Coordinates of all heavy atoms in Angstrom, one line a residue:
G281 N -25.4 -105.1 -3.2 CA -25.4 -106.0 -4.3 C -26.3 -107.2 -4.2 O -26.5 -108.0 -5.2
E282 N -26.8 -107.5 -3.0 CA -27.7 -108.7 -2.9 C -29.0 -108.4 -3.5 O -29.4 -107.2 -3.7 CB -27.9 -109.0 -1.4 CG -26.7 -109.7 -0.7 CD -27.1 -110.3 0.6 OE1 -28.1 -110.0 1.2 OE2 -26.3 -111.1 1.1
E283 N -29.7 -109.4 -3.9 CA -31.1 -109.3 -4.5 C -30.9 -108.6 -5.9 O -31.9 -107.9 -6.3 CB -32.1 -108.6 -3.6 CG -32.4 -109.4 -2.3 CD -33.5 -108.8 -1.6 OE1 -34.6 -108.5 -2.2 OE2 -33.4 -108.6 -0.3
M284 N -29.8 -108.7 -6.5 CA -29.6 -108.0 -7.8 C -29.2 -109.1 -8.9 O -28.5 -110.0 -8.5 CB -28.5 -106.9 -7.7 CG -28.9 -105.7 -7.0 SD -27.7 -104.4 -7.2 CE -28.1 -103.9 -8.9
E285 N -29.6 -108.8 -10.1 CA -29.1 -109.6 -11.2 C -27.7 -109.3 -11.5 O -27.3 -108.1 -11.4 CB -30.0 -109.4 -12.4 CG -31.5 -109.8 -12.2 CD -31.7 -111.3 -12.1 OE1 -30.8 -112.0 -12.5 OE2 -32.8 -111.6 -11.6
A286 N -26.9 -110.3 -11.9 CA -25.5 -110.0 -12.2 C -25.3 -109.0 -13.3 O -24.4 -108.2 -13.2 CB -24.8 -111.4 -12.5
E287 N -26.1 -109.0 -14.2 CA -26.0 -108.1 -15.4 C -26.2 -106.6 -15.0 O -25.8 -105.7 -15.7 CB -26.9 -108.4 -16.5 CG -28.4 -108.3 -16.2 CD -29.3 -109.0 -17.2 OE1 -29.4 -110.2 -17.1 OE2 -29.9 -108.3 -18.0
D288 N -26.9 -106.4 -13.8 CA -27.1 -105.0 -13.4 C -26.0 -104.5 -12.4 O -25.9 -103.3 -12.2 CB -28.4 -104.9 -12.6 CG -29.6 -105.0 -13.5 OD1 -29.5 -104.6 -14.7 OD2 -30.7 -105.6 -13.1
K289 N -25.1 -105.4 -11.9 CA -24.1 -105.0 -10.9 C -23.1 -104.0 -11.5 O -22.5 -103.2 -10.7 CB -23.5 -106.2 -10.3 CG -24.5 -106.9 -9.4 CD -23.8 -108.1 -8.7 CE -24.8 -108.8 -7.7 NZ -24.3 -109.9 -7.0
P290 N -22.7 -104.0 -12.7 CA -21.8 -103.0 -13.2 C -22.4 -101.6 -13.2 O -21.6 -100.6 -13.3 CB -21.5 -103.4 -14.7 CG -21.8 -104.9 -14.7 CD -22.9 -105.1 -13.8
N291 N -23.7 -101.4 -13.0 CA -24.3 -100.1 -12.9 C -24.2 -99.7 -11.4 O -25.0 -100.1 -10.6 CB -25.8 -100.2 -13.3 CG -26.5 -98.9 -13.3 OD1 -26.1 -98.0 -12.6 ND2 -27.6 -98.8 -14.0
L292 N -23.2 -98.8 -11.1 CA -23.0 -98.4 -9.8 C -24.2 -97.8 -9.1 O -24.5 -98.0 -7.9 CB -21.8 -97.5 -9.7 CG -21.3 -97.1 -8.3 CD1 -20.8 -98.3 -7.5 CD2 -20.2 -96.1 -8.4
W293 N -24.9 -96.9 -9.9 CA -26.0 -96.2 -9.3 C -27.1 -97.3 -8.9 O -27.8 -97.1 -7.9 CB -26.6 -95.3 -10.3 CG -26.1 -93.8 -10.2 CD1 -26.8 -92.8 -10.7 CD2 -25.0 -93.3 -9.6 NE1 -26.1 -91.6 -10.5 CE2 -25.0 -91.9 -9.8 CE3 -23.9 -93.9 -9.0 CZ2 -23.9 -91.1 -9.3 CZ3 -22.9 -93.0 -8.5 CH2 -22.9 -91.7 -8.7
A294 N -27.3 -98.3 -9.8 CA -28.3 -99.3 -9.5 C -27.9 -100.1 -8.2 O -28.8 -100.5 -7.4 CB -28.4 -100.3 -10.7
V295 N -26.6 -100.4 -8.0 CA -26.2 -101.1 -6.8 C -26.5 -100.3 -5.6 O -27.1 -100.8 -4.6 CB -24.7 -101.4 -6.9 CG1 -24.2 -101.9 -5.5 CG2 -24.3 -102.4 -8.0
Y296 N -26.3 -99.0 -5.6 CA -26.6 -98.2 -4.4 C -28.1 -98.0 -4.3 O -28.6 -97.9 -3.1 CB -25.8 -96.8 -4.5 CG -24.4 -97.0 -4.0 CD1 -23.4 -97.2 -4.8 CD2 -24.2 -96.9 -2.6 CE1 -22.1 -97.3 -4.3 CE2 -22.9 -97.1 -2.1 CZ -21.9 -97.3 -2.9 OH -20.6 -97.4 -2.4
D297 N -28.8 -97.9 -5.4 CA -30.3 -97.8 -5.3 C -30.8 -99.0 -4.6 O -31.7 -98.9 -3.7 CB -30.9 -97.6 -6.7 CG -32.4 -97.5 -6.6 OD1 -32.9 -96.6 -6.0 OD2 -33.0 -98.3 -7.3
N298 N -30.4 -100.2 -5.0 CA -30.8 -101.4 -4.4 C -30.4 -101.5 -3.0 O -31.2 -101.9 -2.1 CB -30.2 -102.6 -5.2 CG -30.6 -104.0 -4.7 OD1 -29.9 -104.4 -3.7 ND2 -31.5 -104.6 -5.3
Y299 N -29.2 -101.1 -2.7 CA -28.7 -101.2 -1.3 C -29.5 -100.3 -0.4 O -30.0 -100.7 0.7 CB -27.2 -100.8 -1.3 CG -26.6 -100.5 0.1 CD1 -26.5 -101.6 1.0 CD2 -26.3 -99.2 0.5 CE1 -25.9 -101.3 2.3 CE2 -25.7 -99.0 1.7 CZ -25.5 -100.0 2.6 OH -25.0 -99.8 3.9
I300 N -29.7 -99.0 -0.8 CA -30.4 -98.1 0.0 C -31.8 -98.5 0.2 O -32.4 -98.4 1.3 CB -30.3 -96.7 -0.6 CG1 -28.9 -96.1 -0.5 CG2 -31.3 -95.7 0.1 CD1 -28.6 -94.9 -1.4
D301 N -32.5 -99.0 -0.8 CA -33.9 -99.5 -0.7 C -34.0 -100.6 0.4 O -34.9 -100.6 1.2 CB -34.4 -100.0 -2.0 CG -34.8 -98.9 -3.0 OD1 -34.8 -97.7 -2.5 OD2 -35.1 -99.2 -4.1
R302 N -33.0 -101.5 0.4 CA -33.1 -102.6 1.3 C -32.8 -102.1 2.7 O -33.3 -102.7 3.7 CB -32.2 -103.7 0.9 CG -32.7 -104.5 -0.4 CD -31.8 -105.7 -0.8 NE -30.5 -105.3 -1.2 CZ -29.4 -105.6 -0.6 NH1 -29.4 -106.3 0.5 NH2 -28.2 -105.2 -1.1
V303 N -31.9 -101.1 2.9 CA -31.7 -100.5 4.2 C -33.0 -99.9 4.7 O -33.3 -100.1 5.9 CB -30.6 -99.5 4.1 CG1 -30.5 -98.6 5.4 CG2 -29.2 -100.1 3.9
V304 N -33.7 -99.2 3.9 CA -34.9 -98.6 4.3 C -36.0 -99.6 4.6 O -36.8 -99.4 5.6 CB -35.3 -97.6 3.2 CG1 -36.7 -97.0 3.5 CG2 -34.3 -96.4 3.1
V305 N -36.1 -100.7 3.8 CA -37.0 -101.7 4.2 C -36.8 -102.2 5.6 O -37.7 -102.4 6.4 CB -36.9 -102.9 3.2 CG1 -37.5 -104.2 3.7 CG2 -37.5 -102.5 1.8
K306 N -35.5 -102.4 6.0 CA -35.2 -102.9 7.3 C -35.6 -101.8 8.4 O -36.1 -102.1 9.4 CB -33.7 -103.3 7.5 CG -33.3 -104.5 6.7 CD -31.9 -104.8 7.0 CE -31.4 -106.1 6.3 NZ -30.0 -106.4 6.6
C307 N -35.3 -100.6 8.0 CA -35.6 -99.5 9.0 C -37.1 -99.4 9.2 O -37.5 -99.3 10.4 CB -35.1 -98.2 8.4 SG -35.5 -96.7 9.3
V308 N -37.9 -99.4 8.1 CA -39.3 -99.4 8.3 C -39.9 -100.5 9.1 O -40.7 -100.3 10.0 CB -40.0 -99.3 6.9 CG1 -41.5 -99.4 7.1 CG2 -39.7 -98.0 6.2
N309 N -39.4 -101.7 8.8 CA -39.8 -102.9 9.6 C -39.5 -102.8 11.1 O -40.2 -103.3 11.9 CB -39.2 -104.2 9.0 CG -40.0 -104.6 7.7 OD1 -41.2 -104.4 7.6 ND2 -39.3 -105.3 6.8
A310 N -38.3 -102.2 11.4 CA -37.8 -102.2 12.8 C -38.7 -101.2 13.6 O -38.9 -101.5 14.8 CB -36.4 -101.8 12.8
V311 N -39.1 -100.1 13.1 CA -39.8 -99.1 13.9 C -41.3 -99.2 13.8 O -42.0 -98.7 14.7 CB -39.3 -97.7 13.5 CG1 -37.9 -97.5 13.9 CG2 -39.6 -97.3 12.1
T312 N -41.8 -99.9 12.8 CA -43.3 -99.9 12.7 C -44.1 -100.5 13.8 O -45.1 -99.9 14.2 CB -43.6 -100.6 11.3 OG1 -43.2 -99.8 10.2 CG2 -45.1 -100.8 11.2
P313 N -43.7 -101.7 14.4 CA -44.5 -102.2 15.4 C -44.7 -101.3 16.6 O -45.8 -101.3 17.2 CB -43.7 -103.5 15.8 CG -42.9 -103.8 14.6 CD -42.5 -102.5 14.0
K314 N -43.7 -100.5 17.0 CA -43.8 -99.6 18.1 C -44.6 -98.3 17.8 O -45.3 -97.8 18.7 CB -42.4 -99.3 18.7 CG -42.4 -98.3 19.8 CD -41.0 -98.1 20.4 CE -41.0 -97.0 21.5 NZ -39.6 -96.8 22.0
W315 N -44.4 -97.8 16.6 CA -44.8 -96.4 16.3 C -46.0 -96.3 15.4 O -46.6 -95.2 15.4 CB -43.6 -95.7 15.7 CG -42.6 -95.4 16.7 CD1 -41.4 -96.1 16.9 CD2 -42.6 -94.4 17.8 NE1 -40.7 -95.6 18.0 CE2 -41.4 -94.5 18.6 CE3 -43.6 -93.5 18.2 CZ2 -41.2 -93.7 19.7 CZ3 -43.3 -92.7 19.3 CH2 -42.1 -92.8 20.0
Q316 N -46.5 -97.3 14.7 CA -47.5 -97.0 13.7 C -48.8 -96.6 14.4 O -49.7 -95.9 13.8 CB -47.7 -98.2 12.8 CG -48.3 -99.5 13.5 CD -48.5 -100.5 12.4 OE1 -48.5 -100.3 11.2 NE2 -48.8 -101.8 12.9
S317 N -49.1 -97.0 15.6 CA -50.3 -96.7 16.3 C -50.1 -95.5 17.3 O -51.1 -95.0 17.9 CB -50.8 -97.9 17.1 OG -49.9 -98.2 18.2
R318 N -48.9 -94.9 17.4 CA -48.6 -93.8 18.3 C -48.6 -92.5 17.6 O -48.8 -91.4 18.3 CB -47.3 -94.1 19.1 CG -47.4 -95.2 20.0 CD -46.1 -95.4 20.8 NE -45.8 -94.2 21.6 CZ -44.7 -94.1 22.3 NH1 -43.8 -95.0 22.3 NH2 -44.5 -93.0 23.0
L319 N -48.2 -92.4 16.3 CA -48.1 -91.2 15.6 C -49.1 -91.1 14.5 O -49.1 -92.0 13.6 CB -46.7 -91.0 15.0 CG -45.5 -90.9 16.0 CD1 -44.2 -90.9 15.3 CD2 -45.7 -89.7 17.0
A320 N -49.9 -90.0 14.5 CA -50.8 -89.8 13.4 C -50.1 -89.6 12.1 O -49.0 -88.9 12.1 CB -51.7 -88.6 13.7
G321 N -50.5 -90.2 11.0 CA -49.8 -90.0 9.7 C -48.6 -90.8 9.7 O -47.7 -90.6 8.8

């Protein structure tokens, strides 16, 4: 629910879409420094 407008929070699918996206942002940021130069593609 963070980084969401209050009027969108009753939309359960939107809440989970926002949550999952922010989880993935953290995941990408955590592994990128070590791996972006080690794996092609």
Side-chain angles (χ1 to χ4, degrees):
E282 287 191 346
E283 298 187 48
M284 289 191 73
E285 300 290 343
E287 64 195 76
D288 288 327
K289 290 185 178 180
N291 181 340
L292 185 61
W293 266 201
V295 171
Y296 275 95
D297 179 59
N298 176 280
Y299 168 69
I300 291 167
D301 283 351
R302 289 184 294 114
V303 167
V304 170
V305 164
K306 289 184 180 182
C307 174
V308 172
N309 280 328
V311 295
T312 293
K314 177 178 177 179
W315 289 103
Q316 69 175 348
S317 62
R318 292 182 62 183
L319 295 176

